[in-house]
Amino acid sequence: MSKFIAFVLMICSLNALAQLSDFESNVTAEESKQSLVRENFVSRYDYILSFHQSSHWHEDEIYYVFGYTGREWRLIRWTFVRGDHNRPVHQREKRMKYSSRKFEDLLDAMSQTGFYELKHGALNLRQRDNGDGTGVTMHIYDGVTDEFELISPVAHRISTTYAENSLQEKFPTVDRRDFIHCRDMVLDLVFGRD
């Protein structure tokens, strides 16, 4: 009997590790309906964590989608070209291998850094008041936009920032630092870097 209880507790603890922390939505119901990630993956996965980079120069859209099936997390590389009305055409999905230890480290880092509460203003701060009646504003052209999308059965959250490394050098924020840290962990996961 004690072995059975220990087994049940082990399974429950593994399942708890495998899910995103609770988070609040930061998008409206209408914005959520327009999400391509939600539209294409919510019927297959209970929890979704996606990462996407875009720029003016990217022709193909590439999303890295971690989806939780209720038993395991899967990593999908989803690529497409935007067609009429921004709809995906020429879609391809490829299931990728990844380090489950690194993924658990990512989920832990997201919980510990407050990633689930990142504020849009702090992620995209690009100006500073010098306190003497002058200020500094930074404009970056041809940068890359990075986006995380988190979807659970009860919430939908999107965190987006543009040219965050350059902005962080001039206008550092804790939220942007945490975003960059989690972004780098995702890139290490999907590209197999140590």
Side-chain angles (χ1 to χ4, degrees):
M1 181 70 164
S2 63
K3 287 182 181 180
F4 177 73
I5 292 171
F7 177 75
V8 169
L9 289 173
M10 181 186 78
I11 296 298
C12 290
S13 67
L14 289 174
N15 195 32
L17 286 175
Q19 295 187 14
L20 300 173
S21 293
D22 290 338
F23 59 92
E24 292 182 14
S25 294
N26 69 347
V27 296
T28 65
E30 187 58 37
E31 289 168 329
S32 183
K33 286 180 191 173
Q34 294 176 17
S35 163
L36 295 177
V37 172
R38 182 181 183 284
E39 180 180 316
N40 286 279
F41 293 97
V42 80
S43 64
R44 292 185 267 172
Y45 301 110
D46 300 326
Y47 295 88
I48 299 167
L49 164 63
S50 77
F51 177 76
H52 171 241
Q53 293 183 310
S54 63
S55 77
H56 175 71
W57 305 108
H58 290 170
E59 185 173 313
D60 285 355
E61 299 285 346
I62 303 172
Y63 284 75
Y64 295 97
V65 180
F66 292 90
Y68 185 65
T69 64
R71 292 183 302 132
E72 67 177 345
W73 282 95
R74 293 182 180 160
L75 171 57
I76 307 295
R77 182 178 189 263
W78 178 41
T79 60
F80 59 88
V81 175
R82 290 190 187 262
D84 294 340
H85 307 289
N86 255 353
R87 304 308 309 156
V89 294
H90 308 296
Q91 297 183 64
R92 293 180 305 278
E93 289 184 23
K94 179 183 177 189
R95 190 162 172 195
M96 299 176 63
K97 294 181 187 231
Y98 66 95
S99 164
S100 59
R101 178 192 52 78
K102 283 187 177 184
F103 184 69
E104 286 178 17
D105 290 346
L106 170 65
L107 293 180
D108 287 344
M110 291 173 78
S111 293
Q112 292 170 6
T113 61
F115 185 86
Y116 300 102
E117 292 89 32
L118 294 176
K119 294 168 187 60
H120 183 75
L123 288 176
N124 294 289
L125 180 70
R126 60 185 71 234
Q127 58 189 16
R128 176 181 63 235
D129 181 359
N130 291 333
D132 62 0
T134 65
V136 177
T137 301
M138 185 172 184
H139 295 282
I140 299 173
Y141 300 97
D142 291 338
V144 173
T145 299
D146 288 339
E147 177 178 273
F148 279 97
E149 194 162 348
L150 309 167
I151 302 171
S152 78
V154 296
H156 189 167
R157 185 169 192 85
I158 299 175
S159 297
T160 304
T161 187
Y162 176 75
E164 61 271 12
N165 287 14
S166 298
L167 289 171
Q168 186 67 3
E169 287 176 24
K170 300 294 182 186
F171 309 105
T173 71
V174 172
D175 283 22
R176 190 164 35 226
R177 179 201 66 200
D178 294 343
F179 184 99
I180 290 169
H181 177 67
C182 291
R183 177 211 59 200
D184 290 347
M185 290 182 81
V186 166
L187 293 175
D188 289 347
L189 256 170
V190 299
F191 293 116
R193 301 186 297 211
D194 286 323

